[in-house]
Amino acid sequence: MLVKNAENRGQLEFVSLENMVPQDHLLRKIDSAIDFKKIYEFVEDLYCEDNGRPSVDPVVLFKIVLIQHIYGISSLRRTLEEVSMNLAYRWFIGYPLNEAVPHFSTVSYNFKHRFNHGTVEYVFRWVLKAAAEEGYLDTEAIFVDGTHIKASANLKKQAKKAVPKQAKRYTKELFDEVNKDREEHGKKPFSDDSDKKPPQEKETVVSTTDPESGVFHKGEHKKCFAYEAHTACDKHNFVLGVYVTPGNVHDSVAFDPLYDEVCRNYPEHKTVVADSAYKTPWICKRIFGSGRVLSTCYTRPKTKENSHPWWAYVYDEYFDDVICPEYHALHYSTTNRDGYREYKSRAYLCKICPTRGMCTENAKCEKTVLRHVWQDYVEMAEHIRHMAVYKELYRLRKEKIERVFADAKEKHGMRYTQYRGLAQVTNWVKLKFVAMNLKKLATWKWRNLLSSFRFAFFSLIYVRDLSLIHISEPTRQ
């Protein structure tokens, strides 16, 4: 039977937001998982005590931004529209139905001019501390990788610009190592004239819309301006640290600032799991030199086609020589400024070598093999990747850090950003990860609470049934 409902849009009702939001709603779990009043402690200094207009509650501002990132809403304007209409959102920020929500420009202004990088970092660490206190963090193994975020910049609006090359983090340490190696081989050490030389420059493509972004082009991806979020997570997919750079910065270059943050906050970790982009001499030296282990993967050799494979040239540690495929020795020649030892063959032997075409095309008939002064650490990483425990850790990488990136882009809107500038994008990315960590923390606490409630409930039933059995036994007798 067809029934037509009467439209009662103008009907007045007495309702309570507390009764309208389901008890198992995600925002209820989040609200009970963490004490949001802690926010007052680290924003109190940002407000004047006895002057100015009354502000919007900072807890409300943070909750509004959390709603945006938890549900992947694209903009603050759209977020405030959703908050004004959604009962659960209103319950979360504590606004009744007849109270106007803050204007989106108020929220935007506060997060651009009042809540700086230090405030966002404090919130990020606060959530992780709450997760650690509940015992949810497992920092024995750290998973590291980077993901690109499309910038709010048109690729057609670009200009070429000469920018100074950034000095490598380990320049001084490598310079000392090179001079030490040269002295051991009886060579004259290099003079440190880096201060006298003008800084080297390189020409790069810069966006005129967002100059702090960088050109990203990899494989089948479309060329675009982007940022890259270099991220570290634990075994339970809690994001432990993030460092944002332009999209044209290599993963190995951005590793040091990220790893500094991880070591400062989680010095107890024992293993770093990363892909082949991080298998560089410096990163291997830094990790293995600190008593930890780098679990990485196989690196495809970059040798020419129809040439001898790289493994055909064997390093003889005793004589400090390299043995070529024809069993001739390539003797030490020098150690260059880049940290590579040069091993060179004898021209008179190479001239009559039957496989010279597969070895070298040098006009002097001289083969040069390079070996880094920190190559031993790279070989340690190569040996360790064959061990079963580290094979299993690397296999988990796709379920850990790659899963974090997939969730961030698919569920939380991190595929592209509408913000411009490194500072704004960094805060935006950290707030995304705050929302993800908080969501996981709240879900796990709710699940454990539910499990303990079920255990207590069934334990009472079991005790009751057991007591009934004991009471009925004398009656039978």
Side-chain angles (χ1 to χ4, degrees), residues 30-205:
I30 291 174
D31 193 66
S32 61
I34 203 164
D35 183 13
F36 281 96
K37 291 181 180 178
K38 288 282 287 184
I39 292 177
Y40 295 125
E41 296 180 10
F42 50 82
V43 300
E44 188 175 1
D45 296 338
L46 304 176
Y47 290 86
C48 184
E49 293 183 4
D50 55 359
N51 194 14
R53 294 179 302 171
S55 70
V56 178
D57 190 337
V59 172
V60 171
L61 297 177
F62 272 94
K63 284 185 174 182
I64 288 171
V65 172
L66 280 177
I67 289 171
Q68 178 191 2
H69 293 300
I70 289 170
Y71 293 99
I73 305 174
S74 58
S75 67
L76 277 174
R77 187 192 294 260
R78 179 63 179 164
T79 302
L80 268 299
E81 291 177 1
E82 293 290 335
V83 169
S84 66
M85 295 183 292
N86 192 300
L87 295 179
Y89 295 171
R90 278 185 170 272
W91 176 90
F92 186 57
I93 67 174
Y95 272 47
L97 291 174
N98 59 349
E99 187 173 351
V101 299
H103 196 265
F104 71 88
S105 62
T106 303
V107 184
S108 177
Y109 183 88
N110 275 274
F111 275 89
K112 187 173 183 180
H113 299 285
R114 190 191 301 273
F115 304 141
N116 52 22
H117 175 73
T119 311
V120 175
E121 177 67 21
Y122 196 102
V123 174
F124 183 77
R125 292 295 158 200
W126 169 52
V127 174
L128 283 173
K129 184 180 178 182
E133 289 173 352
E134 294 292 334
Y136 295 152
L137 295 188
D138 184 357
T139 55
E140 185 176 354
I142 304 293
F143 297 81
V144 177
D145 203 1
T147 186
H148 285 85
I149 304 165
K150 188 176 179 182
S152 178
N154 192 335
L155 190 63
K156 296 179 180 179
K157 295 181 180 180
Q158 58 175 257
K160 291 186 177 180
K161 184 180 178 181
V163 296
K165 283 187 176 181
Q166 289 185 347
K168 295 178 180 178
R169 161 80 175 269
Y170 53 90
T171 300
K172 182 67 171 64
E173 193 167 353
L174 178 62
F175 181 79
D176 294 339
E177 190 76 26
V178 167
N179 278 344
K180 180 182 175 183
D181 189 75
R182 289 179 66 85
E183 289 174 352
E184 289 176 354
H185 287 89
K187 298 285 183 180
K188 183 180 178 181
F190 291 121
S191 58
D192 189 6
D193 55 354
S194 57
D195 296 337
K196 301 177 183 178
K197 291 182 179 180
Q200 294 182 341
E201 292 186 344
K202 63 177 181 179
E203 191 179 72
T204 184
V205 176

Side-chain angles (χ1 to χ4, degrees), residues 13-42:
E13 295 184 5
F14 290 96
V15 295
S16 170
L17 281 178
E18 187 66 30
N19 298 330
M20 299 297 290
V21 181
Q23 292 297 320
D24 60 347
H25 195 279
L26 175 61
L27 294 181
R28 276 192 181 273
K29 298 175 185 177
I30 291 174
D31 193 66
S32 61
I34 203 164
D35 183 13
F36 281 96
K37 291 181 180 178
K38 288 282 287 184
I39 292 177
Y40 295 125
E41 296 180 10
F42 50 82

Side-chain angles (χ1 to χ4, degrees), residues 362-379:
N362 190 286
K364 297 180 181 179
C365 298
E366 187 179 74
K367 172 69 175 178
T368 302
V369 174
L370 302 178
R371 178 181 173 85
H372 203 277
V373 292
W374 293 330
Q375 185 65 27
D376 291 340
Y377 295 103
V378 180
E379 291 177 355

Side-chain angles (χ1 to χ4, degrees), residues 4 7 112 173 222 226-227 247 299 308 315 330 366 370 391 401 424 426 439 447 450:
K4 294 183 179 180
E7 295 182 356
K112 187 173 183 180
E173 193 167 353
K222 187 179 179 181
Y227 289 93
T299 305
H308 288 306
Y315 176 66
L330 281 70
E366 187 179 74
L370 302 178
K391 269 187 177 180
I401 190 69
Q424 291 295 317
T426 299
K439 181 179 176 181
R447 186 189 306 159
L450 201 61

Side-chain angles (χ1 to χ4, degrees), residues 187-436:
K187 298 285 183 180
K188 183 180 178 181
F190 291 121
S191 58
D192 189 6
D193 55 354
S194 57
D195 296 337
K196 301 177 183 178
K197 291 182 179 180
Q200 294 182 341
E201 292 186 344
K202 63 177 181 179
E203 191 179 72
T204 184
V205 176
V206 177
S207 168
T208 56
T209 308
D210 186 0
E212 294 186 349
S213 63
V215 176
F216 166 65
H217 182 57
K218 179 181 178 182
E220 298 180 355
H221 293 278
K222 187 179 179 181
K223 191 175 181 181
C224 65
F225 285 109
Y227 289 93
E228 185 170 5
H230 307 272
T231 312
C233 77
D234 73 339
K235 273 188 176 181
H236 295 158
N237 291 20
F238 282 95
V239 177
L240 305 178
V242 60
Y243 181 70
V244 180
T245 64
N248 54 3
V249 175
H250 194 264
D251 290 348
S252 60
V253 177
F255 175 79
D256 283 311
L258 174 63
Y259 194 58
D260 288 342
E261 184 180 346
V262 171
C263 290
R264 185 169 56 252
N265 295 291
Y266 306 99
E268 69 276 6
H269 73 277
K270 298 178 181 178
T271 310
V272 178
V273 185
D275 60 17
S276 60
Y278 297 91
K279 196 163 70 172
T280 64
W282 162 246
I283 293 177
C284 292
K285 179 189 181 301
R286 180 172 183 187
I287 294 175
F288 286 111
S290 64
R292 301 180 178 100
V293 175
L294 174 64
S295 175
T296 184
C297 62
Y298 171 73
T299 305
R300 187 171 57 186
K302 302 173 180 64
T303 54
K304 290 183 180 180
E305 195 174 350
N306 300 323
S307 298
H308 288 306
W310 63 271
W311 45 262
Y313 298 89
V314 180
Y315 176 66
D316 187 338
E317 187 176 0
Y318 183 81
F319 290 103
D320 192 22
D321 287 334
V322 174
I323 310 301
C324 78
E326 295 297 327
Y327 303 102
H328 294 296
L330 281 70
H331 302 288
Y332 173 84
S333 174
T334 186
T335 305
N336 60 31
R337 284 183 176 270
D338 294 329
Y340 288 93
R341 297 172 185 159
E342 297 181 4
Y343 296 88
K344 295 184 178 181
S345 64
R346 299 291 184 261
Y348 65 89
L349 291 174
C350 288
K351 283 182 180 178
I352 59 174
C353 180
T355 61
R356 190 183 71 188
M358 298 174 63
C359 185
T360 181
E361 298 176 356
N362 190 286
K364 297 180 181 179
C365 298
E366 187 179 74
K367 172 69 175 178
T368 302
V369 174
L370 302 178
R371 178 181 173 85
H372 203 277
V373 292
W374 293 330
Q375 185 65 27
D376 291 340
Y377 295 103
V378 180
E379 291 177 355
M380 287 174 65
E382 186 64 25
H383 294 321
I384 278 173
R385 75 176 183 86
H386 294 285
M387 298 173 65
V389 59
Y390 298 113
K391 269 187 177 180
E392 178 62 20
L393 273 177
Y394 190 80
R395 187 193 66 80
L396 291 174
R397 180 179 163 274
K398 64 179 182 296
E399 303 169 13
K400 306 302 176 184
I401 190 69
E402 296 290 355
R403 176 64 180 270
V404 168
F405 293 151
D407 286 346
K409 291 186 174 182
E410 291 294 323
K411 300 178 182 178
H412 301 279
M414 209 178 78
R415 195 172 297 279
Y416 61 90
T417 178
Q418 294 179 339
Y419 291 86
R420 291 171 182 166
L422 268 175
Q424 291 295 317
V425 174
T426 299
N427 289 344
W428 179 80
V429 170
K430 284 204 169 184
L431 286 169
K432 290 278 183 197
F433 289 141
V434 165
M436 292 174 65

